[in-house]
Amino acid sequence: MDDGITIRPLREADAEAVVELYAKAAAVEPRLGPVTLPQWDQFLKLPQNRGGRGFRVAERDGALVGLAESSLRDQGAHHTRFLKIVVAPEMRRRRIGLALFDEVLAIDADADLAVQTLVSSDWPAGMAFVAAFGFVHVESEIGMKCVEPLQPARTLAAARATIEQVSDVTACAGEVARIHNAAYASDAAFRLYSPEEMAQVLTESEVWIASEDGQMSGFCLTEPERNSMWIESVAVDPARQGRGLGQLLVYRVLAAHDVSVEHPCWLNVSSRNAPALKIYRRLGFKPQYETCRFSAPRGDLLAARGRRFQ
């Protein structure tokens, strides 16, 4: 690595430099960004990111040239460290990414701890990096887009449900956390939320809920943007799935936001979640890109590091 490069923890004052780094990286790989200052601030506030405590940056002559985003997620029976590395295009091939990777691997002590990372399927350099370390492809996130919502068939169960946008998110945080933890427990990217942590997440989202007989049955979290919108999360209580409620919930959200060619809706869904993929296709969503999720035990990564990168 370039002798002029130093690796250090992220600082609050790095925010503008991080936004600039993402802008440079996105010019080469558009799906990396860009990121605005408010979005970065919101990202750091997510419970799993702990204000960027596990993040590391690479610096050269006072300029930020690399970033490793690293968060430890509680997945119930175990923990997983999630990792993302961004290096300025003009500073690549100088082992900066490798140095950031080393710093993240040094945070934990458990050799069996799973480390996960996402790589776009059309990013050769990223694919080469995970291949060199022996990461295993465990699933893909399929990016889907809707410009013309299709109304689902109206089932009896869905017809009985009340669907509404919630203004007081703190009042529903406990039920949203319960449904989330039950519905996503088997997902590779699962993150267990307490009611308090979920309340923090909900303050940054538009929250829609579906209720039956006064009991919350499902939720949809959205992030409206100027010319589009994102569906961040959708879940139906496992005990109430398979009755058309999730489809109606998402359709109501799409209709409320006047989704169209000029104002599309985006979402990501796991390639392993066949029921969800089927539902979104029925609603008019079409696949646009694939981001591959890779995983490997920390001990295996350290061993590969020693063998291949001396």
Side-chain angles (χ1 to χ4, degrees):
M1 185 179 72
D2 189 327
D3 291 338
I5 301 293
T6 58
I7 308 295
R8 61 168 175 79
L10 178 76
R11 300 169 185 158
E12 186 176 347
D14 291 325
E16 290 189 0
V18 168
V19 171
E20 183 179 349
L21 173 67
Y22 262 102
K24 290 180 180 179
V28 178
E29 289 125 22
R31 279 194 281 280
L32 277 175
V35 174
T36 65
L37 276 173
Q39 287 171 335
W40 178 249
D41 180 63
Q42 177 181 338
F43 179 65
L44 288 180
K45 288 179 180 177
L46 291 175
Q48 64 265 27
N49 291 332
R50 304 178 185 180
R53 187 184 308 172
F55 290 25
R56 299 292 183 267
V57 300
E59 195 173 48
R60 185 175 189 272
D61 298 330
L64 195 151
V65 296
L67 167 70
E69 298 170 4
S70 159
S71 62
L72 189 66
R73 297 192 184 184
D74 179 0
Q75 296 192 304
H78 59 276
H79 287 75
T80 296
R81 182 163 293 283
F82 285 71
L83 169 67
K84 179 181 179 181
I85 294 176
V86 181
V87 176
E90 71 275 12
M91 297 298 294
R92 293 177 182 176
R93 300 187 181 278
R94 303 191 188 195
R95 294 200 165 194
I96 294 173
L98 188 60
L100 288 166
F101 189 58
D102 286 342
E103 289 289 325
V104 171
L105 290 182
I107 294 174
D108 306 295
D110 184 1
D112 294 327
L113 178 74
V115 179
Q116 288 191 15
T117 190
L118 290 168
V119 180
S120 175
S121 60
D122 57 3
W123 184 24
M127 286 295 190
F129 186 90
V130 293
F133 280 95
F135 276 95
V136 176
H137 181 209
V138 293
E139 68 166 2
S140 291
E141 286 191 358
I142 309 299
M144 305 187 79
K145 177 183 179 183
C146 179
V147 298
E148 186 177 354
L150 303 178
Q151 187 168 3
R154 194 173 181 84
T155 65
L156 179 60
R160 293 174 49 203
T162 300
I163 296 173
E164 59 185 350
Q165 185 180 348
V166 178
S167 55
D168 182 8
V169 297
T170 57
C172 66
E175 277 297 282
V176 171
R178 178 187 67 81
I179 294 173
H180 171 276
N181 292 341
Y184 287 109
S186 62
D187 281 21
F190 172 65
R191 201 277 192 202
L192 186 70
Y193 282 96
S194 69
E196 295 74 22
E197 290 171 333
M198 184 58 75
Q200 182 180 341
V201 171
L202 297 185
T203 60
E204 303 294 341
S205 301
E206 181 182 277
V207 183
W208 292 75
I209 64 171
S211 303
E212 298 174 275
D213 303 321
Q215 175 70 38
M216 186 187 299
S217 300
F219 67 85
C220 179
L221 309 184
T222 72
E223 187 175 309
E225 298 181 353
R226 185 174 182 179
N227 298 313
S228 64
M229 65 171 289
W230 275 87
I231 291 181
E232 295 294 334
S233 178
V234 181
V236 173
D237 189 327
R240 298 172 182 264
Q241 291 177 2
R243 302 179 302 152
L245 186 58
Q247 290 187 67
L248 182 60
L249 174 58
V250 174
Y251 177 75
R252 289 279 185 86
V253 171
L254 297 176
H257 283 276
D258 295 323
V259 167
S260 64
V261 173
E262 294 77 22
H263 192 264
C265 179
W266 294 84
L267 58 78
N268 290 323
V269 61
S270 170
S271 59
R272 301 196 307 185
N273 193 342
L277 282 164
K278 188 175 182 179
I279 287 172
Y280 294 135
R281 288 179 183 275
R282 285 177 175 174
L283 288 167
F285 283 87
K286 297 180 180 180
Q288 302 294 312
Y289 58 83
E290 176 186 7
T291 305
C292 302
R293 184 179 302 279
F294 293 89
S295 180
R298 174 177 171 273
D300 290 0
L301 296 174
L302 288 169
R305 173 70 174 89
R307 289 194 304 268
R308 299 181 62 94
F309 299 94
Q310 295 297 333

